[in-house]
Amino acid sequence: MSPGSDLPDLPGLDRRWSRRVTVPGTGEDPPVTWHLLDNAPDLTGEVRGTLLAVHGNPTWSYLWRSLLPAAAAAGWRVVAVDQLGMGFSQRDGRFRRLADRVAELGDLTDHLGLTGPVVTVGHDWGGVVSLGWAVQHPELLAGVVVTNTAVHHDDDSQIPALLRLAGNPSVHGWATSGTRTFLRATLALAHPPLSREVRAAYLAPYDEDRRAVADFVADIPADPGHPSRPALDAVAAGVARLEVPALVLWGPRDPVFQRRYLEDLLRRLPHADVHRFEGAGHLLAEDVDVAGTIIRWLRSTFPAESALPAESAPPAESALPADSALPARPLAAVLDERREDDAPAVVALHPGGTDTVTWRDLATRVRHLALGLHDAGVRPGQRVSLLVTPGVSLTTALFACLRLGAVAVIADQGLGLRGMSRAIRGASPDVVIGIERGLVGARVLSWPGRRVAVSELPPAQARALGVTDTLPGLTARGAELEGAGTDLPPLPGPDDDAAILFTSGSTGPAKGVVYTHRGLAGMRDTLATTYGLGPDSSFVAGFAPFALLGTAMGSLAVVPDMDVTAPATLTAAALAEAVRAGRATAVFTSPAALRNVLATAGELTAEHREALSGVGLFLSAGAPIPPELLARVAEVMPRASARTPYGMTEVLPVTDIDLAEIRRAVADVGTVAGAGGGTCVGRPVPGTEVTILPLDDDGAATGEPTDAPGVTGEILVAAPHLKRTYDRLWATQQASADHPGRHRTGDVGHLDAEGRLWVEGRLSHIVTAPGGVVTPVAVEHAAERVPGVRRAAAVGVGPAGTQQLVVVLETDPAVDRRARAGASLATPGLTRAVRRAVAEACDVPVAAVLRVRELPTDVRHNAKIERGRIGRWAERALAGGRMGEP
């Protein structure tokens, strides 16, 4: 082994890692010289194992430059090879096929005397080569890591367009070897674009001889008769037999290795940990922190004190309440219990009238649909996307999936079309059940899954949308099967996955949250206990999740005439009609819905007001709600106890509070009892534990969880109704659960002396100013108390540690109108006065006060201010850019 002294200076690459290794030939084959990067010079102490990293086409070992120092710090050696003919390895003009590359990699590791444990790491076609080595060296193999690769191609489909183009005889030669077109096209797939220096580093080995680049493209086994197809099939079959830990990292924006290849890998490696990096693409290691993710996985999977994978170690002690391990009453149990009950179960109002289904009818429909879906091939564990508006059809479809053990994927339009599409693609459902609008979206946007229509469609339309079945047809088939004595399959287990719900996407791409049957049952039971709901209850669900959970509680759920994906469409009259239709005594909405109900209260008739006077409980969830707004509930529901829970998609509810307690908490601010600002969200609900992970001087949540009052930090939650994991987001799940049994919410807050929780903002939104950490909510509340200010957002501008606090205002439209009219009270001087008043109202230094027409909020709740977006806008505006709107 000799140093690669002729390697040029390249950004991020230590020349000490560069080595040349000559492997003796066998038989008639001459010796070959490999170039590789080896972090052995950086290793001190005991070596945990070796990462054998293999690049694809047309990159080279430079792809893994971030992995070498990160792995050395964790005690792992990295051997990152340049495949023969590639990078700075020997060019001998030989055409190598897949089997040759796997065999020659084995010759190299034999020559190096590589011993276990070895974890292979591969990308692109280097993923296939690395997996081929893994299959052939089980005695050394400890694990596999792959990024955007494939081990199988379906003969019924074409290879990706870019590869077809590169392999076209009229293009192949000049694009791959005659010019650097294929190289440059590959490097252009990085998100964000590579710097000029990094692009030059990737191109450095390919100034002259690029024959291996062309050979790699020519060796893609695109059809059954290709010479390398047997080798690829052998690798694919071997991968399916691997039982070692596996990590699959994926960039969904890859035009080459598309979603179908990820799905195939996961079928072969069902035990693999998976992380999809939204927004990343083919050159994943350039787009995101692949090296850091691999090191975190190694530490999690191979604990330092053991050579065995972490699964072999005893489970960590859980912070969940002791009764969380008790058997869970199935979510659909209520349907068996009330199958002879002719009382209404669901009432859905819509412009065309009212749909009502009794408990008896609902139980029958669910049973028949479950039988029909099973007969159509839906099996436990398969994913079923429900593109159905809340009402009778959605309730029936959801409970049929739960009964079968299929996993319901619920991505609502509240995510916005782009967010919804990303969510569905990420979840990759096997079946899509949708209304016509949803099926059109599935067709146009190529969402995965066999398609089932909610209602019967004309044959031509069904063909155009790719519909194979309908709910009425499947339900009728199920009735026939039941009549013939066919039984449903066994009930799913309490710890089987039941549903994937999605976060609002207000702080980044919406995340899929996986719930087990036990977790959903825990959510149902917690809501029932906290709010006294059950078979004798009837409520209006202006917030979609509660319509489904209400049925599980045995309550009558009434869906008002509104677009439930746009909460602000709920009017006071529509709410009153829904209350009257179900004789409801409880109302569940979101803050945006409440605002519109109050804004349209003038339209209420005497009959409407009489119906609303019978409401005894009002519940607002989904986003923080100001006490002033909550107090106005009495304007339309004079007898209702106004309560607002705090929680998130991952665990709901966490705490609960009523208006009277909010007022007491606000009065306590600044006293020993209150000790701080923010939004008081109450005390933990039964069975739930809240602790705080303190912030350090840099604004990071560190230290040990505490329930001491007055300590600001990240909010941790332990509860029996906590999600199981994030879907295909291994790294996100690890970060959220690094305190066993507790969920890191990403919210910042503190507990007061009375045990109440105060939320002060998001961890990602805190301002690290020179004078210390500033949390946004207290600043925003202070600004919103200034006359003329409707809403405010507090954001940081500048580098961490020296950020300047900027307050961005949305002012009262009435004030704006008077300003335009030239009223003396609303002269331009008032703007200066408002800015001065806002700055004076805050207890911390404010660098600037800016105004926008409307503060942007999340799509689903129309209430969560997008501080990240506003912060980026404020930074541009203060740097002299165009103001515009955020």
Side-chain angles (χ1 to χ4, degrees), residues 539-590:
F539 64 83
V540 175
F543 188 51
F546 290 114
L548 303 171
L549 286 167
T551 303
M553 289 186 285
S555 301
L556 167 59
V558 185
V559 181
D561 181 8
M562 64 177 291
D563 181 353
V564 293
T565 66
T569 61
L570 179 64
T571 65
L575 175 62
E577 290 292 344
V579 168
R580 184 162 60 180
R583 296 188 180 89
T585 57
V587 169
F588 289 22
T589 72
S590 70

Side-chain angles (χ1 to χ4, degrees), residues 272-653:
D273 296 312
V274 186
H275 190 93
R276 296 173 74 258
F277 293 91
E278 289 292 350
H282 179 72
L283 286 177
L284 192 65
E286 295 296 340
D287 292 357
V288 294
D289 183 19
V290 163
T293 306
I294 291 174
I295 298 308
R296 288 192 294 274
W297 181 77
L298 290 171
R299 286 175 172 154
S300 169
T301 308
F302 305 98
E305 65 276 6
S306 170
L308 297 175
E311 292 88 337
S312 301
E317 182 178 353
S318 174
L320 291 174
D323 61 358
S324 65
L326 296 177
R329 175 172 165 264
L331 211 66
V334 65
L335 299 181
D336 289 331
E337 296 162 359
R338 303 189 67 172
R339 62 189 303 172
E340 305 298 330
D341 191 339
D342 289 317
V346 179
V347 174
L349 285 73
H350 52 83
T354 301
D355 293 333
T356 302
V357 62
T358 66
W359 287 104
R360 183 195 299 271
D361 289 342
L362 181 61
T364 300
R365 292 188 193 192
V366 167
R367 192 168 63 252
H368 290 169
L369 179 56
L371 281 165
L373 287 169
H374 188 265
D375 187 63
V378 177
R379 296 292 179 263
Q382 287 191 326
R383 298 180 169 197
V384 179
S385 177
L386 301 176
L387 305 179
V388 188
T389 53
V392 175
S393 294
L394 177 58
T395 302
T396 303
L398 173 65
F399 280 90
C401 290
L402 293 174
R403 175 60 187 82
L404 278 179
V407 181
V409 178
I410 305 176
D412 62 77
Q413 293 180 72
L415 299 175
L417 182 60
R418 185 176 178 182
M420 187 177 178
S421 184
R422 186 166 45 223
I424 293 172
R425 286 175 178 273
S428 194
D430 302 282
V431 179
V432 173
I433 298 176
I435 59 174
E436 182 179 342
R437 184 173 55 180
L439 294 174
V440 169
R443 185 68 169 182
V444 171
L445 299 173
S446 300
W447 293 341
R450 181 160 53 92
R451 289 157 199 163
V452 176
V454 167
S455 57
E456 296 293 344
L457 298 174
Q461 187 179 17
R463 286 193 299 273
L465 295 177
V467 170
T468 58
D469 289 294
T470 66
L471 289 192
L474 290 172
T475 303
R477 191 189 311 176
E480 294 175 1
L481 291 167
E482 185 178 55
T486 304
D487 292 328
L488 282 165
L491 286 167
D495 296 313
D496 291 339
D497 290 346
I500 301 174
L501 314 178
F502 288 88
T503 61
S504 65
S506 60
T507 57
K511 298 183 287 291
V513 177
V514 180
Y515 271 94
T516 63
H517 288 266
R518 186 191 304 278
L520 288 181
M523 188 186 300
R524 172 204 61 200
D525 296 342
T526 300
L527 285 167
T529 300
T530 302
Y531 299 109
L533 299 170
D536 296 327
S537 304
S538 172
F539 64 83
V540 175
F543 188 51
F546 290 114
L548 303 171
L549 286 167
T551 303
M553 289 186 285
S555 301
L556 167 59
V558 185
V559 181
D561 181 8
M562 64 177 291
D563 181 353
V564 293
T565 66
T569 61
L570 179 64
T571 65
L575 175 62
E577 290 292 344
V579 168
R580 184 162 60 180
R583 296 188 180 89
T585 57
V587 169
F588 289 22
T589 72
S590 70
L594 174 59
R595 289 181 188 276
N596 198 52
V597 165
L598 294 173
T600 57
E603 302 170 4
L604 293 172
T605 65
E607 291 80 8
H608 287 153
R609 292 189 179 277
E610 181 180 358
L612 291 170
S613 68
V615 176
L617 171 67
F618 169 78
L619 188 72
S620 179
I625 183 167
E628 297 82 5
L629 183 61
L630 201 61
R632 293 183 59 197
V633 170
E635 294 179 19
V636 291
M637 291 171 276
R639 295 188 178 89
S641 169
R643 298 171 71 171
T644 176
Y646 159 76
M648 59 282 307
T649 307
E650 295 88 341
V651 52
L652 179 72

Side-chain angles (χ1 to χ4, degrees), residues 153-217:
H153 177 72
D154 189 345
D155 294 332
D156 293 332
S157 60
Q158 292 184 310
I159 62 172
L162 288 179
L163 296 181
R164 292 202 306 274
L165 179 62
N168 187 296
S170 63
V171 174
H172 177 69
W174 72 262
T176 56
S177 59
T179 68
R180 296 196 289 186
T181 301
F182 185 72
L183 282 138
R184 293 186 181 280
T186 301
L187 299 180
L189 297 177
H191 307 286
L194 300 176
S195 68
R196 180 181 302 175
E197 294 76 15
V198 170
R199 278 201 313 274
Y202 274 112
L203 294 171
Y206 298 109
D207 282 339
E208 298 178 3
D209 190 339
R210 293 178 288 274
R211 280 175 293 179
V213 174
D215 293 347
F216 242 124
V217 173

Side-chain angles (χ1 to χ4, degrees), residues 24-41:
T26 58
E28 297 180 358
D29 295 330
V32 290
T33 299
W34 293 70
H35 173 259
L36 53 87
L37 301 179
D38 186 345
N39 67 352

